[in-house]
Amino acid sequence: MSQPIDTFATPLLTWFDQHGRHDLPWQHPRTPYRVWLSEIMLQQTQVRVVIPYFERFLQAFPTLPDLAAASSDEVMAQWAGLGYYARARNLHAAAKRCVELHGGELPRDFEALHALPGIGRSTAGAILSQAWNDRFAIMDGNVKRVLSRVHGIAGWPGLPAIEKQLWALAVEHVQHVPQGRLADYTQAQMDFGATLCTRANPACLLCPVSPQCVAFREGLTEALPTPKPGKPLPERSAVMLMAFDAQGRVLLQRRPPVGIWSGLWSLPQADDTTAARAWFDAHLAGDFDAADELPDTPHTFTHYRLHMQPLRWKRLSPRDAVGDNADLRWVAPAELTTLGLPAPIRKLLDA
């Protein structure tokens, strides 16, 4: 049985005033553009990782119109290493749409925000509540965990029926937040889940809402929220072709517009050695078998683990058909920072 939900917002805000995070860079000033950028970067990524990327991104694109006017390569170069690159593509596309439809500003309207690429229900609510103190709920991983425990909601929160219950509770909770404190309440929920009501070893004795928490009372904090049914990650492998010319430039290929690392510059990739040899023979002049075979490098994605086998050649020359173009180019080491490269590929090249 759930506890009365009007006992949640007040103690949470009291805790936030004393222990919450008040010095995050997107809070000063808390503009719609800065809030939006931080919310997109914080999806699937911890605050400590996001902060330096956020600050560099703002230096490169201080306003929404600046972002809209940038090239895809410029945006990806600033995002490279942060992962989940669809976020950056959606951010760029949404900025362009704001220039086209909303005068270069984020709209202060839920439906208009929700219609922009990369902005779901929770992100729209987070922007409206934090940028304008409007009364909207959020539902990130921290909020799902907190509400599942406080109200004793069993079932994996990713299931539509469970998520529907949690959204109903979140919407009801937000009705009890004092006017003018919606931004603080939104931040308080995220801070509380990140620092006290953590996935493992939650600090229940310090919790401001433990008197109302079903999981605490019934000893269910480790069981809730119900974890997603686990499956072993599939294993895949790929050959990465590291071809350098006599000037020390490396040959890079733009990834397809869909799939992993879509739109980024990467090393040419093949499924196996036979396919790698065919690609090499079609594009490069040299001895395929003269490659240096570098150590296998694993990289884990959300849905599978990729084992990268790098092959390296030095002082190669390209065939006549290979040159700088939209999808294939020779890049000097000093120019690598100007392109969006996946973090694992950048590490391979740095090594």
Side-chain angles (χ1 to χ4, degrees), residues 278-300:
W279 194 96
F280 182 96
D281 290 342
H283 295 84
L284 298 165
D287 181 6
F288 179 85
D289 293 320
D292 297 322
E293 189 169 321
L294 303 181
D296 178 279
T297 303
H299 180 73
T300 302

Side-chain angles (χ1 to χ4, degrees), residues 256-335:
V258 295
I260 294 299
W261 299 335
S262 55
L264 298 183
W265 289 92
S266 182
L267 295 170
Q269 178 178 326
D271 290 337
D272 53 35
T273 304
T274 300
R277 182 185 295 273
W279 194 96
F280 182 96
D281 290 342
H283 295 84
L284 298 165
D287 181 6
F288 179 85
D289 293 320
D292 297 322
E293 189 169 321
L294 303 181
D296 178 279
T297 303
H299 180 73
T300 302
F301 295 98
T302 305
H303 301 298
Y304 68 93
R305 183 176 292 106
L306 178 66
H307 295 272
M308 298 182 291
Q309 175 59 66
L311 298 179
R312 181 181 61 190
W313 299 266
K314 298 179 180 179
R315 305 182 68 84
L316 288 178
S317 58
R319 295 194 180 277
D320 292 340
V322 178
D324 291 342
N325 55 59
D327 296 312
L328 201 65
R329 67 171 62 170
W330 294 92
V331 180
E335 298 172 342

Side-chain angles (χ1 to χ4, degrees), residues 88-127:
R89 292 191 295 275
N90 286 332
L91 191 77
H92 196 200
K96 292 180 178 181
R97 195 167 298 179
C98 284
V99 169
E100 295 169 2
L101 302 178
H102 305 295
E105 301 286 346
L106 280 170
R108 186 179 177 177
D109 174 82
F110 178 85
E111 296 300 333
L113 267 179
H114 196 197
L116 293 174
I119 298 185
R121 178 182 178 182
S122 182
T123 300
I127 294 169

Side-chain angles (χ1 to χ4, degrees), residues 64-240:
L64 188 151
D66 292 328
L67 174 58
S71 70
S72 175
D73 280 340
E74 289 171 330
V75 174
M76 288 302 184
Q78 295 299 322
W79 194 276
L82 197 55
Y84 299 96
Y85 293 96
R87 297 182 297 174
R89 292 191 295 275
N90 286 332
L91 191 77
H92 196 200
K96 292 180 178 181
R97 195 167 298 179
C98 284
V99 169
E100 295 169 2
L101 302 178
H102 305 295
E105 301 286 346
L106 280 170
R108 186 179 177 177
D109 174 82
F110 178 85
E111 296 300 333
L113 267 179
H114 196 197
L116 293 174
I119 298 185
R121 178 182 178 182
S122 182
T123 300
I127 294 169
L128 290 164
S129 63
Q130 293 185 94
W132 290 289
N133 261 306
D134 290 344
R135 197 172 295 278
F136 286 91
I138 65 168
M139 185 59 63
D140 68 356
N142 286 319
V143 175
K144 288 179 179 179
R145 182 168 60 255
V146 170
L147 294 181
S148 294
R149 286 173 173 167
V150 170
H151 295 283
I153 305 296
W156 177 50
L159 293 173
I162 304 301
E163 189 170 26
K164 183 177 180 180
Q165 292 183 60
L166 297 175
W167 265 113
L169 291 166
V171 170
E172 182 61 31
H173 276 306
V174 84
Q175 306 310 313
H176 300 280
V177 178
Q179 188 61 38
R181 298 223 61 188
L182 274 302
D184 288 343
Y185 176 70
T186 297
Q187 187 66 52
Q189 294 175 87
M190 295 186 284
D191 289 358
F192 176 60
T195 61
L196 283 192
C197 196
T198 51
R199 181 178 288 106
N201 302 315
C204 297
L205 295 181
L206 302 176
C207 175
V209 296
S210 60
Q212 292 80 42
C213 181
V214 173
F216 177 66
R217 184 179 68 240
E218 299 183 5
L220 297 173
T221 53
E222 295 300 324
L224 296 176
T226 304
K228 180 181 180 179
K231 293 181 180 179
L233 281 178
E235 304 280 344
R236 301 182 187 176
S237 60
V239 178
M240 315 302 292

